[in-house]
Amino acid sequence: MYKIRNVFGSVSLMTSKREKIIVLDVEGYSTCRPYNIGYIVADLYGNIYCKRSFALLPCIWENIVSMVNSKSAKEMTKKNVEEILKDIEKSKRQRKYQSISPEKFAEIFAKDVQNFKVKRLFAYNVNFDKGSIKRLLGVEKFMALNLEYCDIISGIVYTKLLTKQYIEFCKTHGFITDKGNVQTKAEVVIKYLTGNLDYEEEHTGLADVLDEYFILLTALSTHKKIDWKPCASWRLLKNFAEEKNIALAG
């Protein structure tokens, strides 16, 4: 397994002036409030100041209903929900998740944003996470956070994935979609960056956040100028392949 700090070698620059960011991941259907949220408060040098892992039990039922009515991600959601429900039976010290209400989450999250003076939130496919948080908090509380939402996918695509090497990696290992597009899922990207083909995402909020933070730091380690706005990564890679005469099939 990779180590986050290895991206920058032995860098450890602990100063009060360093920008703090939030890296966040949610679990839940796009039409529901998220039932599992993980996030860290960190800086851009590999230092983590706060870790949070929440299970929002009131939101589980609405996701179960969506799970029953949807074929996509059904098994993944079922596994995650079962783990959370078993987790609440453990003693508080043994729990992986902090079980709280949506209202309590809103309070804790707002305090972390304020106390750490966070201005930017990073997520992998940030529009999904942004929409989930907005549904959970409501428009007024969401707007009051006044955060800039940055997409980690954009960072890694522009710095590491627009290469013949990445496309050939995906072709070799079957990471091309049925429509013939190069995959840019976090799991595939980490397999490529680490060379660990056995790696699998846990699909739980906090675990996925740490993976996505690693991807973010890898992009930053290139010292390239990055536009963090969401992008159509599959289209960028398709256009790149066409420009370089790289066949995506075969």
Side-chain angles (χ1 to χ4, degrees), residues 123-127 151-163 166-167 170 175-177 180-189 215 227-243 248:
Y124 206 85
N125 186 20
V126 73
N127 281 341
D151 202 332
I152 297 173
I153 291 180
S154 299
I156 201 65
V157 167
Y158 286 120
T159 59
K160 286 286 189 178
L161 305 190
L162 288 178
T163 64
Y166 181 68
I167 293 174
C170 289
F175 301 134
I176 305 293
T177 69
N181 296 318
V182 179
Q183 293 187 20
T184 55
K185 296 188 298 184
E187 182 173 290
V188 173
V189 172
I215 297 173
D227 183 351
W228 297 105
K229 294 178 182 178
C231 68
S233 56
W234 65 270
R235 184 177 293 118
L236 288 172
L237 281 157
K238 183 176 182 180
N239 292 342
F240 176 84
E242 291 175 353
E243 291 172 5
L248 295 180

Side-chain angles (χ1 to χ4, degrees), residues 96-221:
K96 184 176 180 180
Y97 306 93
Q98 181 182 355
S99 299
I100 60 174
S101 66
E103 293 76 20
K104 187 62 178 177
F105 169 81
E107 179 185 332
I108 294 172
F109 189 60
K111 283 184 178 179
D112 283 341
V113 169
Q114 181 179 14
N115 292 342
F116 288 99
K117 297 180 173 60
V118 174
K119 299 297 183 184
R120 295 196 287 174
L121 183 150
F122 288 79
Y124 206 85
N125 186 20
V126 73
N127 281 341
F128 178 85
D129 300 86
K130 179 180 178 181
S132 295
I133 294 298
K134 187 175 182 179
R135 282 191 298 278
L136 183 66
L137 300 184
V139 174
E140 185 176 343
K141 290 182 180 179
F142 175 81
M143 296 300 292
L145 294 171
N146 195 30
L147 292 171
E148 177 186 353
Y149 293 85
C150 305
D151 202 332
I152 297 173
I153 291 180
S154 299
I156 201 65
V157 167
Y158 286 120
T159 59
K160 286 286 189 178
L161 305 190
L162 288 178
T163 64
K164 181 179 180 180
Q165 289 81 0
Y166 181 68
I167 293 174
E168 292 298 335
F169 171 84
C170 289
K171 287 172 60 178
T172 299
H173 299 290
F175 301 134
I176 305 293
T177 69
D178 293 340
K179 293 183 179 180
N181 296 318
V182 179
Q183 293 187 20
T184 55
K185 296 188 298 184
E187 182 173 290
V188 173
V189 172
I190 289 180
K191 287 176 186 286
Y192 173 70
L193 295 176
T194 64
N196 179 12
L197 293 173
D198 295 324
Y199 167 80
E200 292 183 3
E201 275 187 294
E202 286 191 25
H203 294 295
T204 57
L206 184 57
D208 289 356
V209 161
L210 295 174
D211 294 340
E212 292 163 15
Y213 186 43
F214 168 76
I215 297 173
L216 169 62
L217 292 177
T218 301
L220 290 169
S221 70

